[in-house]
Amino acid sequence: MADTEVADTLRESAREQAALERRARRKWEEKNEQDPFSMLLGEDESNTASVAEGESPLSPSHDADTEEARMLERHASRKREREAANKRDELDDIFNKEESAAEFKKQPLGGEETSHWISIKQQKVMRKEAFRLKKERRYNEENHAQLEEELAAKAKAEEEAEQARKEEEEKSLAARTLLDEADELRELHKTMDVRALKLAKQSEEENWMLREANRVQTNALQSATEIAAGKRFDKSIETGWRPPSHIRAMSEAKAAVLRKKWFIIAEGEDIPRPIKSFKDMRFPDLLVNHLAKNGIKRPTPIQVQGIPTVLSGRDMIGIAFTGSGKTITFCLPLIMLALEEENRLPLKGGEGPFGLILCPSRELARQTWEVLDEYCEALATDGGTRLRTVLVVGGEAKRE
C-alpha cells in the first residue's frame, strides 16, 4: 500500500469515527432534553430518578434507546481499536525498512530474497540520502587533501625562506673581517653608558666561562691528539665485576634518597647505584680485613659512589675534600681490575702495565704508590697473587 492510500484510509476512518460519536451524542441529548438535571447525573442516577417519578426503568422505549446507544458506542470503540492497530502495524512496517542506506543496497528490490517490502517513494528517499552522504564524504575528502597540500606548500615555502635567510647570514658573516667586527663593536659601545658597558663585559665573561666549562665536561678525559682526530668513546670498559642482586634491584628513587643522605651529588647517564659497605662491593676478605685494620670499616661518601662507578668500567671525575678517601677510591678498583687480568692470563716480561696513575707532584706520587703497594702486599698474604707496583718520578732511577 502506498503512503497516499494509507493516509486516505486513516482520514476515512477518522471521519466515520467522528460521525458515530456525533450520532451517539445526539441520541443521548434527545433522551435527556426534557430533564436538564439528568444530564449532570450518571446512568444509574438517571434511572433512579425515573423510578422515583413512577416511570419503569424497564420500559420498551427506554431500553431500546439505551441499547442502541450502547451498541453504537461499542461499535465505534471497536472500530477505533482496529484502525489504531492497523495504523501501528503499517507504520512499523515502514519504519523497519528505513534502518540504513547500506542495508537497503544489500537487499534486492522486488526479488524473492527481499525480506521486507519497501515502497517506491521510500526507495527514492533512501537513494537520495545515500547519494547526498556520498557526495558530502567526497567533498570532505577533496577539501582535506587540498588543505594538506596547502599546508605542505606553506611549510616548504617557510623552510626555503629560512634556508635562504641562513645562507644570506652566512655569506654576510664570511664577508666580514675582524676589523669590521671591531668597528661594529666600537659603534655599539658609543651608544651605551657606563653601566651598560659593565653589564655587557660581565655577560661576555660569563659566556666564555660557560663555553670553557662545557668543553671540559665533554672532553676532559681525552688527549689533544684524540680531540684533534675527533675520536669518541661511547662504550665503557668491560669488567667482570657485578654488584649484588639487591643492589641491581635498587630503584633510581631509592638510590637518589641514599645519595641525598650521604650528601653525594652525581651527574651523568645511567649512574651506577651507590653501595654503602665494602662487603657488598665484593672485595676479597684480605682487603676488607686490611681496611678494618687501618680503621676503615665503612666507605666514605666519595667511596660509596666512586668505587662502584670505577668497578663498572665507567669514566669518572671525583671531587672531594682532603682526607675523604679519594686515593682508596681509585686504588682498590685498579687492584681488582689488575688482579682479574693477571688471573685470566698472567703477564710475561715486557708486557703491561695494567694500570697507570698520574700525579701532579713527586710527593703525591710517592704517597699514592705507598697506599697502592700496601694493599697489594696485603692481598698477597696467605698465598695470594702479588701484584707488582712501580713508582716512576722524574730525576730518579726506576729501581730506587
Side-chain angles (χ1 to χ4, degrees), residues 313-369:
R314 300 290 299 276
D315 293 336
M316 184 190 75
I317 298 177
I319 302 174
F321 56 85
T322 303
S324 59
K326 295 188 294 296
T327 304
I328 292 179
T329 301
F330 60 81
C331 282
L332 294 184
L334 179 60
I335 293 173
M336 296 306 299
L337 295 177
L339 182 62
E340 180 182 357
E341 293 292 336
E342 179 68 20
N343 292 333
R344 182 182 302 173
L345 184 62
L347 287 181
K348 294 182 179 180
E351 295 180 345
F354 282 135
L356 179 65
I357 302 175
L358 301 178
C359 299
S361 64
R362 294 184 179 186
E363 293 77 10
L364 184 58
R366 184 171 295 278
Q367 293 175 8
T368 303
W369 172 76

Side-chain angles (χ1 to χ4, degrees), residues 12 25 40 71 91 105 139-140 145 159 168 194 196 205 213 233 285 311 325 360 365 375:
E12 184 65 25
R25 180 70 179 178
L40 303 175
M71 288 179 63
L91 292 176
K105 292 180 179 179
Y139 177 75
N140 292 336
E159 184 178 356
E168 187 67 24
V194 177
E205 292 178 355
F233 298 93
D285 292 338
L311 288 174
Y375 286 99

Side-chain angles (χ1 to χ4, degrees), residues 168-238:
E168 187 67 24
E169 289 181 355
E170 291 177 357
K171 290 180 181 179
S172 61
L173 290 175
R176 291 174 59 192
T177 62
L178 294 177
L179 294 177
D180 295 334
E181 294 180 3
D183 292 338
E184 292 179 1
L185 187 60
R186 280 194 295 270
E187 293 294 333
L188 180 63
H189 287 172
K190 289 180 181 179
T191 60
M192 300 171 63
D193 55 8
V194 177
R195 183 173 180 276
L197 287 172
K198 186 177 180 181
L199 292 176
K201 186 177 180 180
Q202 182 180 354
S203 178
E204 290 178 1
E205 292 178 355
E206 291 177 355
N207 292 333
W208 178 82
M209 293 174 63
L210 289 175
R211 287 195 302 269
E212 289 297 317
N214 184 55
R215 185 185 64 82
V216 170
Q217 291 177 3
T218 54
N219 54 18
L221 299 179
Q222 290 183 267
S223 64
T225 304
E226 292 172 342
I227 295 174
K231 288 186 178 181
R232 294 183 60 85
F233 298 93
D234 300 328
K235 295 183 179 180
S236 302
I237 300 175
E238 295 183 1

Side-chain angles (χ1 to χ4, degrees), residues 97-110:
K97 309 306 176 296
E98 298 179 357
E99 293 181 355
S100 65
E103 293 183 0
F104 171 74
K105 292 180 179 179
K106 295 179 181 179
Q107 298 179 0
L109 299 176

